[in-house]
């Protein structure tokens, strides 16, 4: 049982999958929803301070390196593009916009991209942390409800 929870924890730390992949995996493994949610949130948030503090510096350092330059360039461009688009749409409500960006479970959004975008925009660490935590909590609820099949029930009720 502990191995299954650890698997959920580690999947939630992986970019692209994050909590969006970890919660359905946990449900599929037959684990209890509340511990899965909490473990996935913690696992998804654990890399955030490291991403904020080091990812931008590493990507800029590796931008012109022969072996890693392509991938570093991809992430710098993606982070800057996401950050600038968010900033243009949000104006003064940047923290709320970042929270929604992280919280809506779509491809390319999430704590990793949101933290990198906040770092590129030179947002304060506290603001990025608050926005990412709120977004991860929101995404966890949405994915949890979808994984439990409850979103289908709600959409059927309101479609009538």
């Amino acid at each position: 049982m502990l191995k299954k929870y650890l698997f959920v924890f580690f999947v939630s730390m992986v970019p692209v999958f994050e909590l969006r992949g970890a919660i359905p995996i946990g449900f599929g493994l037959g684990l209890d929803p509340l511990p899965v949610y909490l473990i996935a949130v913690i696992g998804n948030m654990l890399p955030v301070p490291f991403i904020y503090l080091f990812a931008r510096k590493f990507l800029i350092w590796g931008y012109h390196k022969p072996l890693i330059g392509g991938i570093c360039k991809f992430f710098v461009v993606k982070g800057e593009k996401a950050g600038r688009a968010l900033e243009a749409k949000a104006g003064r409500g940047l923290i709320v916009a970042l929270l929604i960006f992280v919280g809506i479970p779509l491809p390319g959004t999430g704590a990793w991209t949101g933290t990198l975008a906040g770092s590129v925009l030179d947002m304060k660490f506290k603001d990025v942390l608050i926005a990412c935590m709120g977004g991860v909590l929101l995404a966890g609820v949405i994915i949890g409800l979808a994984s439990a099949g409850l979103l289908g029930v709600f959409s059927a009720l309101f479609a009538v």
Side-chain angles (χ1 to χ4, degrees), residues 152-160:
V153 170
F154 289 135
S155 66
L157 289 174
F158 292 112
V160 174

Side-chain angles (χ1 to χ4, degrees), residues 14-105:
V14 176
V16 180
F17 293 107
E18 299 185 34
L19 150 140
R20 294 155 169 80
I23 289 177
I25 287 172
F27 285 15
L29 292 171
L31 299 174
D32 292 327
L34 185 59
V36 165
Y37 175 79
L38 294 174
I39 288 169
V41 166
I42 292 167
N44 201 179
M45 286 301 296
L46 192 63
V48 166
F50 300 103
I51 298 165
Y52 182 85
L53 296 172
F54 302 116
R56 182 176 174 194
K57 292 174 185 166
F58 172 78
L59 293 173
I60 291 170
W61 170 83
Y63 196 88
H64 298 292
K65 303 291 185 225
L67 292 175
I68 60 171
I71 192 136
C72 288
K73 184 176 182 178
F74 170 80
F75 283 113
V76 166
V77 169
K78 182 174 177 59
E80 285 181 356
K81 185 177 177 183
R84 298 297 168 214
L86 194 62
E87 187 177 42
K89 290 179 182 176
R92 293 178 53 187
L94 193 55
I95 297 170
V96 173
L98 185 60
L99 184 149
I100 293 168
F101 176 81
V102 172
I104 303 299

